[in-house]
Amino acid sequence: MQGKERIVFIINPISGIFHKDKLPALIRKHLDKERFLPEIVFTQYAGHAAVLAAGYAAQGVHCVVAVGGDGTVNEVASALCHTGTALGIIPTGSGNGLARHLRMSLNPRRAIRQLNRSTVSLMDYGLANGHPFFCTCGVGFDARISQDFCTVKKRGFLSYFGKIVRAFFTYEPLRYRVLSEKGEWDGKAFLVTVANASQWGYAARIAPEASVQDGLFDIVVLRRVRLFPALWLAVKLYTHRLGNDRYVKTWKTRELLVRSDEAMPLHVDGDPLGQANEVRLRVVPGGLKVFCAKKLQ
């Protein structure tokens, strides 16, 4: 056992759309036993992943692998920031935004094999009113969808898409004031997304040029849009071509302040964070070690 890297798999048994009972056997079968000394634990309640990850980081574990969706990844990563322990991911959730950006396989068997050839790199993360996020944070329509989606029992893309369609025709855009070192934007918007990574999840790239190593957020403001332009924007989301046009404004910045006279629905990494009239955001460069087989983007 001397010289082996200690790696812990924290499995969220209720994330995503398939059962996790076979995952321990897959891990034991496909993980490199010459390199790693593995341990497998299951979460038992909301927030348990963060508690477990913090404990293992204090023990100096080489890598803690979040086995779940974006919420599980956020919990584990939040506990590992500024420690010597790296974040690994086996994506088993619905959207899997950060895992997709890091080019982790969505097939658990392949994702385990990716860990066998992974190395540690540093990535940025963001803070929204003090809450860490690693993929995206947003106010407006996407935050409203995250609030609605967390109440559904049936997960997956079809459920998510159904929520989007129903909410599109009833959601009333708010007026925002967005202040950053690059200037100020004021107006009504469908949403304001602050992207550390490129993905919302489900392969929808809200910020195609975003990098987790550039020390910058990619800001995306989607102005009020009607049905047919919205359909064209959806095509752009899935063909990685979303950018500045009459409906979309984008720029990069290290810090941001978003204000509204009305309470704004807010999400971090797809999980609702209530409502706020003001959101302060900043990048923390290189604050998280990540265990990944691919070169970071």
Side-chain angles (χ1 to χ4, degrees):
M1 295 195 302
Q2 188 174 3
K4 290 186 179 182
E5 298 170 1
R6 190 176 172 200
I7 186 169
V8 178
F9 296 82
I10 297 179
I11 301 175
N12 180 350
I14 62 171
S15 67
I17 57 176
F18 60 89
H19 296 293
K20 314 300 185 301
D21 53 330
K22 295 182 180 179
L23 281 172
L26 281 177
I27 291 168
R28 295 186 184 100
K29 180 178 180 179
H30 296 285
L31 191 70
D32 185 347
K33 300 176 183 63
E34 297 299 316
R35 179 179 179 182
F36 296 112
L37 184 63
E39 184 174 342
I40 300 169
V41 293
F42 284 83
T43 61
Q44 298 176 11
Y45 54 86
H48 194 201
V51 174
L52 290 169
Y56 286 116
Q59 295 174 30
V61 166
H62 181 72
C63 177
V64 173
V65 182
V67 187
D70 294 323
T72 306
V73 171
N74 182 283
E75 281 192 38
V76 172
S78 296
L80 300 183
C81 291
H82 308 288
T83 73
T85 300
L87 167 74
I89 304 174
I90 295 178
T92 62
S94 300
N96 302 310
L98 184 60
R100 290 175 188 269
H101 179 93
L102 298 176
R103 293 175 291 169
M104 295 295 299
S105 174
L106 301 185
N107 178 293
R109 182 181 292 103
R110 293 173 185 165
I112 295 165
R113 289 175 176 171
Q114 280 182 308
L115 292 172
N116 291 334
R117 59 181 190 275
S118 289
T119 56
V120 175
S121 300
L122 291 176
M123 67 168 275
D124 309 332
Y125 70 93
L127 291 171
N129 286 350
H131 296 271
F133 67 96
F134 305 88
C135 199
T136 64
C137 167
V139 294
F141 183 74
D142 56 337
R144 159 75 181 278
I145 295 302
S146 74
Q147 291 176 346
D148 292 346
F149 192 57
C150 73
T151 64
V152 302
K153 293 182 179 180
K154 186 176 182 180
R155 311 295 282 184
F157 178 76
L158 290 179
S159 294
Y160 188 73
F161 183 72
K163 288 288 184 184
I164 291 174
V165 172
R166 285 189 290 272
F168 179 85
F169 295 100
T170 60
Y171 183 76
E172 183 62 33
L174 302 180
R175 187 175 190 90
Y176 300 100
R177 188 181 180 197
V178 184
L179 303 97
S180 74
E181 59 193 352
K182 300 296 183 180
E184 178 180 333
W185 185 89
D186 191 315
K188 276 198 168 185
F190 215 59
L191 58 84
V192 179
T193 290
V194 180
N196 182 50
S198 60
Q199 295 262 355
W200 260 339
Y202 296 108
R205 296 203 179 200
I206 184 63
E209 302 301 319
S211 167
V212 296
Q213 289 189 312
D214 63 357
L216 297 168
F217 290 134
D218 281 46
I219 313 304
V220 182
V221 175
L222 176 59
R223 298 178 177 90
R224 189 170 191 149
V225 61
R226 299 191 183 278
L227 177 60
F228 289 108
L231 293 174
W232 175 235
L233 289 171
V235 171
K236 287 187 173 184
L237 270 176
Y238 285 95
T239 56
H240 310 165
R241 293 187 291 125
L242 193 70
N244 283 298
D245 59 26
R246 63 179 295 191
Y247 298 108
V248 178
K249 179 175 176 59
T250 69
W251 71 95
K252 293 178 181 283
T253 188
R254 292 171 293 184
E255 296 186 1
L256 193 71
L257 175 63
V258 184
R259 287 176 172 158
S260 178
D261 291 335
E262 301 179 66
M264 303 175 288
L266 170 67
H267 81 86
V268 291
D269 289 339
D271 279 349
L273 202 62
Q275 295 183 320
N277 290 95
E278 180 176 287
V279 185
R280 293 183 179 272
L281 304 111
R282 67 179 179 90
V283 175
V284 182
L288 175 68
K289 291 184 174 181
V290 62
F291 201 55
C292 190
K294 305 284 187 177
K295 183 178 179 180
L296 297 191
Q297 298 174 321

